[in-house]
Amino acid sequence: WVQEEAPDVLCLQETKCAGPAVPPEVRALPGLTHQFWASAEGKPGYSGVGLLARTEPLKVTYGIGDPEHDSEGRIITAEFPSLFVVSAYVPNAGRGLVRLQPRIRWDSSFLAFLKGLDAQKPVLLCGDLNVAHEEIDLCHPKANRASAGFTPEERQGFSRLLGEGFVDSFRHLYPDARGAFTFWTYLGGARARNVGWRLDYVVLSQRLVGNLCDSKIRSKAMGSDHCPITAYLAL
């Protein structure tokens, strides 16, 4: 699928492995020779992100500058001449919302981090943001108001991000699209019935909107409980 899609930058989330453990078929992906990996410190099989690129970034950094979260391997930022690309795996609030307060603190720190980047050059944020922003972004909103990923606090965190000059690329282009989900539980045949959530996003700095050509959800690409998403920009 990756070879057919032929991305200039490929962002991966929840990789669950450190760089040396990345499978050889991933390391050998044609064209994506510049590869960067982050993993959780002391927690094998937990969290982790990757960023693979056709052209070498000017600079690559890890984390958001917050000691509470940076040991979990959730952020890689690659600087290119015209923009920053951020591969992100946002913390889940957890079953029973046991991690909701850390998630709220994450949202605040992450927003400050993104605003700092945006002050230098435009930002493209790609990844599993672990929130369904509006009722249209999940199949059963009424039944999930107290569920991780759809609490008022998490939704407000995403609203604050959009209020600070960032744009949800898919909703910008397809404001009324229903049934547009990127995650389905493995339980109960949810994917076949399209009982899902839109948790994966490409978010852009406002001034990149003019460069946005399309934002796609690749729901037919199998292999995970999430599906890939693709953004096309003319830069």
Side-chain angles (χ1 to χ4, degrees):
W1 181 87
V2 172
Q3 291 184 52
E4 290 176 358
E5 192 75 7
D8 294 299
V9 179
L10 175 66
C11 296
L12 302 173
Q13 292 83 39
E14 202 173 3
T15 52
K16 297 187 176 183
C17 66
V22 171
E25 62 268 27
V26 176
R27 291 205 170 275
L29 281 169
L32 297 171
T33 54
H34 305 283
Q35 302 190 6
F36 308 92
W37 306 96
S39 60
E41 297 174 11
K43 289 184 176 182
Y46 180 78
S47 189
V49 292
L51 188 149
L52 293 72
R54 289 189 179 274
T55 59
E56 186 174 6
L58 301 175
K59 183 181 179 182
V60 174
T61 59
Y62 300 85
I64 60 174
D66 185 336
E68 180 180 5
H69 302 288
D70 281 354
S71 65
E72 294 189 342
R74 294 185 176 277
I75 298 290
I76 297 176
T77 302
E79 180 181 358
F80 295 96
S82 57
L83 80 170
F84 291 102
V85 177
V86 180
S87 178
Y89 178 40
V90 169
N92 191 299
R95 189 179 299 274
L97 303 180
V98 295
R99 284 174 54 90
L100 181 58
Q101 292 307 312
R103 166 60 185 269
I104 292 170
R105 294 193 294 271
W106 163 279
D107 283 347
S108 178
S109 294
F110 192 35
L111 177 56
F113 171 75
L114 293 171
K115 288 173 65 177
L117 294 179
D118 189 56
Q120 302 171 58
K121 61 176 65 173
V123 175
L124 184 154
L125 163 64
C126 178
D128 178 357
L129 305 189
N130 258 319
V131 63
H133 184 219
E134 301 290 357
E135 292 193 355
I136 196 175
D137 294 315
L138 73 167
C139 189
H140 295 306
K142 290 182 181 178
N144 284 288
R145 297 199 186 281
S147 297
F150 197 60
T151 63
E153 294 89 344
E154 292 164 298
R155 295 170 66 193
Q156 288 164 10
F158 194 80
S159 293
R160 283 193 295 273
L161 173 64
L162 300 185
E164 292 287 350
F166 295 93
V167 175
D168 175 351
S169 64
F170 181 82
R171 278 288 167 234
H172 174 76
L173 295 173
Y174 305 102
D176 302 316
R178 293 187 174 274
F181 306 135
T182 67
F183 165 81
W184 307 262
T185 177
Y186 284 126
L187 303 175
R191 188 160 186 171
R193 297 182 294 119
N194 200 30
V195 179
W197 300 55
R198 189 169 73 99
L199 301 178
D200 304 88
Y201 296 78
V202 172
V203 174
L204 307 168
S205 295
Q206 177 69 50
R207 58 195 187 280
L208 278 178
V209 168
N211 305 93
L212 178 65
C213 302
D214 209 346
S215 185
K216 291 292 190 183
I217 294 174
R218 304 303 199 192
S219 57
K220 290 182 169 56
M222 307 301 287
S224 170
D225 51 0
H226 292 251
C227 74
I229 57 175
T230 303
Y232 293 96
L233 283 83
L235 297 171

